[in-house]
Amino acid sequence: MAILRLSTNADMPHIIHVTYEAWQDVGPSILTRDILSTITHQVLEQKRLANIKRDGFRSYVALVGDQIVGYIDGGSPREEYGDNEIYSLFVHPKYHRIGIAKNLLSAFLEQTQGSTLCCSTKPEEASFKGHS
């Protein structure tokens, strides 16, 4: 069972590792090899740092033992959709299908009750708009 907590600055390298491993696992089935090759630890860190600067930024990590195995980030929407947006939700491939993503999403939704939440596959094109 994973334990959830708010993330800290010290979690950054572990969060980047989870993100990288998740993209390496699922990426080949949805991205071209050229695009996948651009997903580096440095690029992922830059994207996360940009999100951290957004208003209302929140991030939760999931731990199994002392290892970060997943996380969710969100905050103010990047576009006009809703009051809050989920920026990232990743779980390390070795920990898929045991409810970690569901628990992370629940923790995030608990903090956004009563507001409109959006989650997009592209920043400019929301694929899900709903109320929590």
Side-chain angles (χ1 to χ4, degrees):
M1 179 64 115
I3 304 295
L4 305 184
R5 67 165 170 77
L6 288 170
S7 69
T8 67
N9 291 338
D11 296 331
M12 176 75 86
H14 308 288
I15 288 171
I16 298 306
H17 174 73
V18 167
T19 311
Y20 181 81
E21 291 299 320
W23 275 118
Q24 294 307 305
D25 181 58
V26 73
S29 64
I30 61 173
L31 301 172
T32 66
R33 199 176 328 184
D34 289 341
I35 292 173
L36 191 58
S37 71
T38 66
I39 299 174
T40 65
H41 285 78
Q42 182 179 7
V43 167
L44 295 170
E45 184 172 343
Q46 290 170 352
K47 288 180 179 281
R48 181 166 164 74
L49 288 171
N51 285 337
I52 288 172
K53 294 176 185 175
R54 296 189 174 282
D55 289 338
F57 179 81
R58 287 180 307 289
S59 178
Y60 296 89
V61 293
L63 296 103
V64 172
D66 61 353
Q67 181 181 4
I68 293 174
V69 299
Y71 74 97
I72 188 169
D73 290 342
S76 297
R78 294 173 281 194
E79 296 293 326
E80 301 172 9
Y81 309 108
D83 303 314
N84 293 279
E85 179 179 355
I86 296 171
Y87 306 143
S88 301
L89 172 58
F90 285 97
V91 176
H92 192 283
K94 291 181 181 176
Y95 295 91
H96 284 184
R97 305 228 180 261
I98 59 173
I100 292 173
K102 180 181 175 182
N103 292 340
L104 286 164
L105 184 58
S106 292
F108 188 85
L109 291 174
E110 219 173 90
Q111 298 302 310
T112 61
Q113 282 186 336
S115 63
T116 303
L117 175 69
C118 72
C119 180
S120 61
T121 56
K122 297 178 185 175
E124 70 279 356
E125 189 177 304
S127 60
F128 171 80
K129 297 178 214 164
H131 295 278
S132 59

